């Protein structure tokens, strides 16, 4: 069974240490602190942190951010991936998700059940293992692709489950988790709600297949955010956010992020779990002032009492 295999392979190497046997160092405390591990993207602090990506990461650490996201990590040279991972480790930060390119994201669809699409996905999984070792992460984003109008929904779901089981078998020995992201970008996408994703994760039955719960997308597709988080809790492996409308920083739209973060924080403490929260959004104001506003938005959203 996949879950037993996972436990066996990781019993001697806790968590992300299984990715190349890397150990973490303890960095000096940041100037600011947050209760939750928010993860900015490179480019969010071009004005305050400078254009150099390593200086940006250092700036993020100084502001109290304890993680980083980089969707395009697979497109970076191997030496750059390694250097970024080493710097994050030195600063006491963690690498969050990168998108598993070459594997079911836009170029193909797992719902179709075609061998050529499965082959692309599995090749992407193999590549993701090597990328994850270099940049020191255990998360990669997977999007199964488009809905197939010529197939019944149950058949599509079976095709997706079969493909993800194959991927999970590859990822488990390396401690790498593919987080499935339901999206609101277009109704042509197969995966759209958290309960649908929950059902698939339960069927795959692997610790290497979990939900990426993007609060922005789920607000658009299903609403009722806190109950949906509770219902899907056991299969959630990662969070992302953006306010709606606009997909910008917390406080720029209708979502009460302070209440949502408070709820997640309390639930984390009660269940002994932890998450990275990817800042998968834009900034409502341009320039350095917008970047300052972004930092203040997270200070506000994180300023809850429990």
């Amino acid at each position: 069974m996949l879950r037993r295999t996972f436990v066996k392979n990781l019993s001697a190497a806790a968590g992300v240490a299984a990715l190349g046997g890397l150990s973490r160092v303890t960095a000096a405390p940041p100037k600011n602190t947050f209760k939750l591990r928010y993860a900015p993207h490179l480019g969010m602090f071009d004005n305050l942190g400078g254009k150099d990506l390593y200086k940006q990461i250092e700036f993020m650490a100084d502001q109290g951010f304890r993680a980083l996201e980089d969707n395009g990590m697979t497109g970076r040279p191997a030496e750059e991936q390694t250097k970024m991972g080493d710097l994050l480790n030195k600063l006491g930060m963690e690498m969050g998700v990168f998108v598993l390119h070459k594997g079911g994201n836009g170029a193909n669809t797992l719902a179709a059940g075609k061998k050529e699409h499965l082959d692309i996905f599995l090749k992407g999984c193999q590549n993701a293992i090597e990328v994850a070792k270099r940049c020191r992460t255990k998360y990669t984003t997977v999007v199964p692709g488009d809905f197939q109008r010529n197939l019944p929904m149950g058949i599509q779901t079976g095709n997706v489950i079969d493909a993800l089981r194959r991927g999970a078998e590859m990822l488990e020995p390396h401690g790498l988790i593919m987080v499935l992201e339901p999206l609101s970008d277009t109704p042509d996408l197969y995966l759209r709600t958290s309960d649908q994703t929950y059902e698939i994760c339960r069927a795959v039955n692997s610790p290497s297949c979990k939900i990426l719960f993007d609060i922005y997308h789920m607000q658009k597709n299903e609403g009722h955010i806190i109950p949906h988080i509770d219902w899907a809790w056991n299969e959630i492996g990662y969070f992302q956010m953006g306010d709606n409308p606009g997909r910008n920083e917390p406080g720029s739209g209708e979502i009460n992020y302070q209440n949502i973060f408070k709820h997640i924080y309390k639930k984390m403490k009660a269940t002994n779990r932890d998450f990275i929260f990817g800042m998968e959004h834009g900034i409502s104001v341009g320039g350095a002032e917008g970047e300052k506003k972004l930092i203040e938005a997270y200070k506000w959203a994180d300023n809850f009492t429990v």
Side-chain angles (χ1 to χ4, degrees):
M1 187 174 178
L2 291 176
R3 193 175 301 276
R4 290 197 295 268
T5 302
F6 182 82
V7 173
K8 179 180 178 181
N9 286 325
L10 294 188
S11 60
V16 74
L19 296 170
L22 301 173
S23 60
R24 297 193 62 79
V25 299
T26 302
K31 295 177 181 178
N32 304 303
T33 57
F34 293 107
K35 298 181 184 72
L36 299 175
R37 292 187 293 164
Y38 307 115
H41 281 250
L42 293 171
M44 279 188 155
F45 297 107
D46 278 352
N47 294 281
L48 297 180
K51 298 292 185 180
D52 180 84
L53 66 89
Y54 305 108
K55 295 296 183 183
Q56 283 189 38
I57 294 171
E58 291 173 349
F59 177 82
M60 293 171 190
D62 284 344
Q63 303 310 308
F65 294 109
R66 292 183 284 150
L68 171 76
E69 280 191 351
D70 183 27
N71 284 341
M73 181 65 78
T74 57
R76 296 185 182 278
E79 59 272 18
E80 191 168 273
Q81 296 169 359
T82 300
K83 188 174 179 180
M84 289 174 64
D86 290 346
L87 177 59
L88 290 167
N89 188 52
K90 178 181 177 181
L91 295 171
M93 297 175 69
E94 292 189 51
M95 179 64 201
V97 293
F98 62 89
V99 175
L100 192 145
H101 295 294
K102 306 176 184 177
N105 298 280
N108 68 317
T109 174
L110 300 181
K114 295 181 179 179
K115 182 181 183 300
E116 58 266 33
H117 292 171
L118 176 61
D119 290 345
I120 293 171
F121 170 64
L122 297 179
K123 182 178 179 181
C125 288
Q126 186 59 54
N127 182 62
I129 291 167
E130 301 307 315
V131 173
K133 289 177 182 178
R134 290 191 287 265
C135 68
R136 298 173 182 251
T137 188
K138 58 180 180 179
Y139 302 103
T140 184
T141 304
V142 169
V143 178
D146 287 347
F147 175 79
Q148 299 297 289
R149 299 184 183 277
N150 63 331
L151 290 176
M153 194 64 176
I155 301 301
Q156 295 184 63
T157 298
N159 291 338
V160 170
I161 291 168
D162 287 345
L164 295 177
R165 283 177 176 169
R166 293 281 303 277
E169 288 174 350
M170 295 175 62
L171 302 182
E172 280 186 9
H174 303 276
L176 184 56
I177 302 169
M178 53 181 168
V179 283
L180 311 181
E181 184 175 15
L183 297 169
S184 64
D185 297 324
T186 166
D188 290 332
L189 289 165
Y190 164 80
L191 198 61
R192 292 185 53 79
T193 64
S194 62
D195 62 292
Q196 177 194 16
T197 316
Y198 177 90
E199 180 181 27
I200 291 169
C201 288
R202 298 293 283 184
V204 174
N205 191 29
S206 168
S208 280
C209 182
K210 295 296 177 183
I211 300 170
L212 194 171
F213 196 107
D214 188 313
I215 297 168
Y216 164 77
H217 288 298
M218 293 305 91
Q219 172 71 0
K220 291 180 67 180
N221 281 355
E222 62 189 19
H224 216 40
I225 294 297
I226 288 177
H228 277 289
I229 289 173
D230 287 346
W231 293 329
W233 183 258
N234 290 337
E235 297 297 335
I236 295 174
Y238 200 98
F239 283 96
Q240 286 181 333
M241 54 267 178
D243 216 333
N244 183 59
R247 199 176 184 180
N248 289 313
E249 72 276 359
S252 61
E254 67 184 357
I255 303 175
N256 191 332
Y257 269 104
Q258 194 173 83
N259 275 357
I260 292 173
F261 288 159
K262 176 181 178 179
H263 180 81
I264 295 173
Y265 181 85
K266 290 172 67 175
K267 199 168 182 69
M268 283 167 45
K269 296 301 181 183
T271 58
N272 193 31
R273 300 190 66 194
D274 200 5
F275 299 97
I276 293 175
F277 295 76
M279 296 161 58
E280 182 81 343
H281 57 73
I283 306 175
S284 61
V285 176
E289 289 306 309
E291 294 172 11
K292 292 176 183 177
K293 183 179 179 181
L294 172 64
I295 296 169
E296 292 305 313
Y298 276 91
K299 289 181 181 178
W300 166 80
D302 193 75
N303 187 29
F304 51 81
T305 56
V306 293

